């Protein structure tokens, strides 16, 4: 049996579900398919996380032709939810310090969430690190560590910076 998460639960956890400025939600698949969905339709749907064609945006009330397979990211207001595994399948790979992954700049280029002077990287255990544009140096890399968890690494003027078990990145103004 495949596992799925309610989109409303996902947004409630990582964004402001009551943000009245959000009327449409933008979705993009790894194959380039792009779709705007109404907030109501999006919040009543699911993202299938396992099995064939995962991650997949689907909803019982939507015809199957409106489902999105290979979901790369979702933009809900100022929040982007990005799938690393799908990203590694469709975006250029970068190697930094012997680690292969996706360039941090490539993720921001894809999602359009740019323009910050600094970024807050938070791990699943709640620890965070704020890095300025200058701290990022070479730009940074999102990759999988030896345990298979997402990690961020970069080498800047103040040396190497790492965040293991990466959960989120926030653009700070």
């Amino acid at each position: 049996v495949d596992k799925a998460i309610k989109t409303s639960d996902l947004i409630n956890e990582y964004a402001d579900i009551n943000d009245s400025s959000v009327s449409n939600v933008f979705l993009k698949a790894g194959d380039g398919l792009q779709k705007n969905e109404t907030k109501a339709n999006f919040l009543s749907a699911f993202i299938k996380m396992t099995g064939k064609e995962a991650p997949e945006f689907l909803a019982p009330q939507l015809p199957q032709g409106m489902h999105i397979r290979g979901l790369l990211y979702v933009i809900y207001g100022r929040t982007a939810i990005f799938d690393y595994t799908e990203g590694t399948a469709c975006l250029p790979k970068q190697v930094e310090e012997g680690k292969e992954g996706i360039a941090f700049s490539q993720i921001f280029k894809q999602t359009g969430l740019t323009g910050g002077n600094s970024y807050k990287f938070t791990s699943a255990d709640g620890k965070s690190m704020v890095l300025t544009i200058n701290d990022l140096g070479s730009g940074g890399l999102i990759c999988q560590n030896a345990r298979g968890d997402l990690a961020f690494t970069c080498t800047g003027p103040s040396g190497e910076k790492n965040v293991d078990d990466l959960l989120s990145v926030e653009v700070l103004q």
Side-chain angles (χ1 to χ4, degrees):
V1 173
D2 291 333
K3 294 181 181 178
I5 185 169
K6 292 179 182 178
T7 53
S8 59
D9 290 349
L10 188 65
I11 296 302
N12 196 44
E13 183 70 24
Y14 297 105
D16 180 4
I17 198 165
N18 297 314
D19 184 344
S20 61
S21 70
V22 176
S23 57
N24 288 305
V25 180
F26 181 78
L27 302 100
K28 184 174 180 183
D31 64 6
L33 175 70
Q34 300 178 23
K35 178 181 181 187
N36 275 308
E37 191 59 73
T38 66
K39 179 180 177 178
N41 278 345
F42 178 79
L43 292 175
S44 65
F46 298 86
I47 296 177
K48 184 176 83 152
M49 302 304 298
T50 61
K52 187 179 176 190
E53 300 173 339
E56 180 179 11
F57 170 78
L58 50 91
Q61 74 275 17
L62 296 176
Q64 190 162 355
M66 294 182 71
H67 295 178
I68 299 178
R69 294 172 289 285
L71 188 61
L72 179 60
Y73 65 85
V74 171
I75 303 288
Y76 183 93
R78 294 269 315 137
T79 301
I81 299 169
F82 184 89
D83 187 87
Y84 175 80
T85 303
E86 187 65 25
T88 60
C90 67
L91 297 177
K93 295 196 177 54
Q94 178 173 315
V95 177
E96 187 171 305
E97 304 290 325
K99 299 171 187 169
E100 183 178 85
I102 302 171
F104 179 60
S105 60
Q106 190 59 238
I107 294 172
F108 277 84
K109 179 181 173 186
Q110 283 290 316
T111 60
L113 298 179
T114 58
N117 294 322
S118 57
Y119 299 90
K120 181 179 178 182
F121 298 83
T122 304
S123 63
D125 65 5
K127 293 178 185 171
S128 64
M129 175 188 308
V130 175
L131 298 173
T132 66
I133 295 286
N134 291 338
D135 294 332
L136 292 174
S138 62
L141 184 74
I142 306 287
C143 58
Q144 284 187 304
N145 63 20
R147 295 185 315 269
D149 299 327
L150 281 186
F152 171 78
T153 186
C154 73
T155 303
S158 59
E160 186 173 327
K161 304 287 185 186
N162 296 294
V163 177
D164 282 326
D165 206 6
L166 183 66
L167 177 65
S168 67
V169 179
E170 182 180 348
V171 180
L172 304 175
Q173 302 304 331

